[in-house]
Amino acid sequence: MARERQIILDTETTGLYSDRGDRILEFAGIEMRKRRLTERTLHLYIHPDRDIPEEAAAVHGITLDTLAEKNAPKFAAVGQEIADFLRGAELIIHNARFDVGFLDMEFERMGLPTIEELGCEVTDTLAMAREKYPGQKASLDALCGRLDIDRSKRVYHGALIDCELLAEVYLAMTREQFDLVGGSDDNNGDTPAQNTRTAAPLVRTGRLKVIKADATELAAHAAILDEINQATGGHCLWQPQAREHAE
């Protein structure tokens, strides 16, 4: 069972390798409690204290000029804030190994606890998607398309927009399992959950109540059949004469 407090998390970086000098450029985390988003969000642009390769900037659109305009701090100035925000939560991450690797690297540079040491549980939606949709594409874009989630605002891979999309993807992929244990998203808290468990059981008598059509309904039905019969040149199979001809 998921923890009560969850953080949908994403990062953007200077490259792919946390152990080869790449750094975090952007961090975003949005809080969710009991499968409902709260108003608590942490979104930070971070100066990497190094260059940003063009191929990386082409993906996320972040350059050193962008960070200068935003007066972005270095990770050392915001690392503690990020660690405190994440502490003890379940982290929902798409391709968690990547983001956790970068966060652990940045935390260790500061002498801060790692994700595991912060008491976080990690849920990887990429692994979930590969299990749920074997043999199919499992990228965030592909999942949005499969689950009918609007991704039109995703021009670049931005940490905040990706978190917002991932929250919808995660809720959609896990809705069935929560419905099965009585935790449906449709319960907005106005009705106590126990009401759904203590309601009077449905009694089945084995008899079906038959409601016959009245004269007006029968006449309307006959008129529709006449129209179909005319449109098909007398071949409406619901008309007795057409049915006899077909047989």
Side-chain angles (χ1 to χ4, degrees):
M1 178 62 65
R3 298 190 187 188
E4 179 177 314
R5 181 173 182 263
Q6 298 170 299
I7 301 294
I8 315 295
L9 183 155
D10 190 48
T11 64
E12 299 298 336
T13 65
T14 62
L16 301 176
Y17 306 104
S18 59
D19 59 347
R20 302 184 194 177
D22 283 316
R23 303 291 302 274
I24 292 178
L25 296 170
E26 184 184 8
F27 170 90
I30 55 180
E31 185 183 66
M32 184 165 62
R33 287 183 179 272
K34 296 183 178 179
R35 295 176 60 78
R36 294 194 176 277
L37 296 176
T38 72
E39 295 182 356
R40 192 177 179 196
T41 299
L42 182 61
H43 181 217
L44 300 164
Y45 287 98
I46 302 167
H47 196 290
D49 204 23
R50 54 152 291 171
D51 67 303
I52 302 175
E54 291 184 4
E55 57 269 27
V59 173
H60 47 58
I62 302 173
T63 66
L64 289 177
D65 288 340
T66 303
L67 297 176
E69 291 173 3
K70 296 180 180 295
N71 196 26
K74 295 181 181 180
F75 195 92
V78 297
Q80 186 65 62
E81 182 181 9
I82 294 174
D84 291 342
F85 181 69
L86 300 180
R87 190 182 304 275
E90 178 186 5
L91 309 182
I92 311 297
I93 312 173
H94 201 67
N95 191 14
R97 183 178 180 182
F98 178 87
D99 299 272
V100 170
F102 269 92
L103 285 166
D104 280 348
M105 175 272 294
E106 296 283 9
F107 287 153
E108 288 172 356
R109 288 172 66 104
M110 293 181 61
L112 293 173
T114 63
I115 292 295
E116 182 178 359
E117 292 166 345
L118 287 169
C120 298
E121 176 185 344
V122 178
T123 295
D124 189 347
T125 50
L126 178 60
M128 287 175 56
R130 285 174 173 167
E131 181 178 351
K132 190 175 181 67
Y133 310 110
Q136 301 183 53
K137 292 182 179 179
S139 67
L140 186 57
D141 275 338
L143 291 173
C144 286
R146 185 173 300 122
L147 298 169
D148 198 25
I149 294 169
D150 181 15
R151 64 183 188 279
S152 58
K153 295 181 180 179
R154 195 191 192 211
V155 179
Y156 288 107
H157 286 241
L160 185 58
I161 183 64
D162 284 3
C163 280
E164 293 169 350
L165 293 174
L166 183 57
E168 294 191 62
V169 164
Y170 171 76
L171 290 172
M173 286 201 300
T174 57
R175 182 167 290 118
E176 289 181 1
Q177 74 183 66
F178 275 85
D179 285 350
L180 287 174
V181 298
S184 170
D185 297 340
D186 296 333
N187 186 350
N188 60 10
D190 295 335
T191 303
Q194 62 267 26
N195 285 356
T196 62
R197 296 194 293 271
T198 58
L202 178 64
V203 178
R204 300 186 184 278
T205 64
R207 298 187 300 274
L208 295 176
K209 183 178 181 180
V210 178
I211 302 176
K212 296 182 178 181
D214 59 26
T216 301
E217 292 169 330
L218 290 172
H221 179 65
I224 291 174
L225 293 183
D226 285 339
E227 293 178 6
I228 296 174
N229 200 45
Q230 292 176 15
T232 58
H235 294 288
C236 176
L237 293 180
W238 291 282
Q239 292 279 28
Q241 61 271 30
R243 190 162 54 246
E244 292 172 2
H245 177 73
E247 293 172 350

